[in-house]
Amino acid sequence: MIYNMDSIAGAKQFLPDESVDVIVTDPPYNLGFSGTTQTRTRKPRFQTIRNDNLTLQEYQRFTFQWLRQAHRVLKTGRHIYVFIDWRMYPYMAIWMRKVGFTIKNCLVWDKVNMGVGWQYRYQHEFIIFAAKGKEKARRIRSRKSTDVVRVPRISGNKTIHPTEKPVELMEAFIHNSTEKGELVADFFLGSGPVYEAAQKLGRACVGFEIDEEHFHTASLRGNKEENNSLEKQEG
Ligand SMILES: C[S@@+](CC[C@H](N)C(=O)[O-])C[C@H]1O[C@@H](n2cnc3c(N)ncnc32)[C@H](O)[C@@H]1O
């Protein structure tokens, strides 16, 4: 089930304590990002994403609010994956610890192909991998997974969201941290790759997206998967 609403209010309304098996989420990084620019007009292809242009103090408040909800709804010992880049990593890691997560590792998404940037062009982002609580956390499924995940990024002129992530990346995390039928949550759906990945893997998914247009994109992706699997079952 996905909702077109603020995730802080949504979690309070719809998610009981300790009800979620994994959280995979890609929050605004507070970089005022609106995607790559169009070649001809040089204008950004999208509007700046919501909550991506705050003062540091506002961003901290916003982040604490959603992290507290994420911590409340996640089952003890289960995993959370939070996307972030090098500029915000130090803050996010401290804030996650403050709300009670135990950071287990910093994963690197190697995007294989370089992106924008002048001095050493960007080719990676971080994913903070953490668990709820200090006691025994669950182990990931694959013993062979390393902390560098190589999945090609979607090229700027093909994206349907300014900060779109590949479904394959989300699948790897969901597969490693859940069993079939368990519940995946995403507090910042964007165009919905977590939603699509969860459906592909036979997991339930709950997610929130505040922007109407992005929510619409996400719901189409979800439906596409559902329709595909329906077609497969029927065919
Ligand atoms: C970094 S993007 C996620 C992109 C997504 N991973 C994808 O691949 O399409 C963050 C998303 O969070 C949404 N957002 C910002 N504040 C929100 C809030 N309070 N509640 C729900 N969604 C929010 C933005 O509209 C944006 O689409």
Side-chain angles (χ1 to χ4, degrees):
M1 185 66 85
I2 62 171
Y3 301 92
N4 181 198
M5 67 187 293
D6 166 42
S7 52
I8 299 155
K12 285 182 187 165
Q13 193 174 340
F14 297 110
L15 300 179
D17 296 357
E18 303 255 340
S19 58
V20 167
D21 297 294
V22 71
I23 297 174
V24 181
T25 201
D26 176 24
Y29 296 176
N30 204 29
L31 301 174
F33 190 63
S34 38
T36 50
T37 48
Q38 297 170 21
T39 324
R40 240 165 17 97
T41 61
R42 313 300 304 159
K43 285 192 182 140
R45 295 179 57 232
F46 301 96
Q47 288 186 337
T48 305
I49 53 182
R50 295 273 284 277
N51 290 313
D52 201 41
N53 213 356
L54 306 175
T55 64
L56 185 59
Q57 207 178 13
E58 287 165 342
Y59 184 66
Q60 177 174 6
R61 234 184 100 234
F62 162 69
T63 305
F64 267 124
Q65 283 178 340
W66 77 258
L67 279 177
R68 279 199 196 101
Q69 287 305 313
H71 187 265
R72 180 184 65 77
V73 304
L74 187 65
K75 293 179 183 169
T76 302
R78 301 301 295 257
H79 303 146
I80 179 169
Y81 295 80
V82 179
F83 282 77
I84 203 70
D85 89 336
W86 58 276
R87 284 159 284 202
M88 283 297 156
Y89 173 85
Y91 297 103
M92 187 60 85
I94 291 170
W95 297 340
M96 284 180 69
R97 277 196 198 99
K98 271 210 163 139
V99 303
F101 291 115
T102 305
I103 296 186
K104 298 282 181 192
N105 206 338
C106 174
L107 313 183
V108 176
W109 171 32
D110 173 357
K111 305 183 191 185
V112 181
N113 302 309
M114 67 186 171
V116 292
W118 287 109
Q119 316 215 49
Y120 301 103
R121 293 180 63 162
Y122 300 147
Q123 200 179 301
H124 79 281
E125 282 177 43
F126 293 138
I127 298 114
I128 301 177
F129 170 59
K132 175 169 170 179
K134 299 212 179 327
E135 302 304 312
K136 268 198 248 164
R138 187 190 168 92
R139 290 215 175 146
I140 60 163
R141 187 193 299 263
S142 159
R143 284 177 171 255
K144 288 190 177 155
S145 295
T146 74
D147 55 11
V148 178
V149 192
R150 277 172 65 83
V151 176
R153 70 180 180 89
I154 303 164
S155 83
N157 55 5
K158 294 208 177 96
T159 49
I160 50 174
H161 184 284
T163 62
E164 188 180 343
K165 308 292 182 298
V167 178
E168 207 185 326
L169 196 57
M170 307 309 189
E171 276 183 58
F173 302 147
I174 294 171
H175 172 80
N176 257 342
S177 292
T178 55
E179 308 294 329
K180 265 202 160 108
E182 288 192 331
L183 180 62
V184 180
D186 182 358
F187 278 54
F188 303 97
L189 281 168
S191 62
V194 170
Y195 183 40
E196 186 174 334
Q199 290 190 58
K200 264 186 162 170
L201 295 171
R203 273 63 169 171
C205 182
V206 61
F208 306 96
E209 170 54 52
I210 205 166
D211 181 279
E212 203 176 326
E213 218 175 300
H214 297 324
F215 175 77
H216 181 66
T217 312
S219 53
L220 288 179
R221 278 234 281 214
N223 288 341
K224 187 184 72 187
E225 251 319 301
E226 220 165 51
N227 293 344
N228 284 347
S229 56
L230 275 180
E231 274 165 26
K232 266 183 229 153
Q233 278 171 21
E234 284 161 8

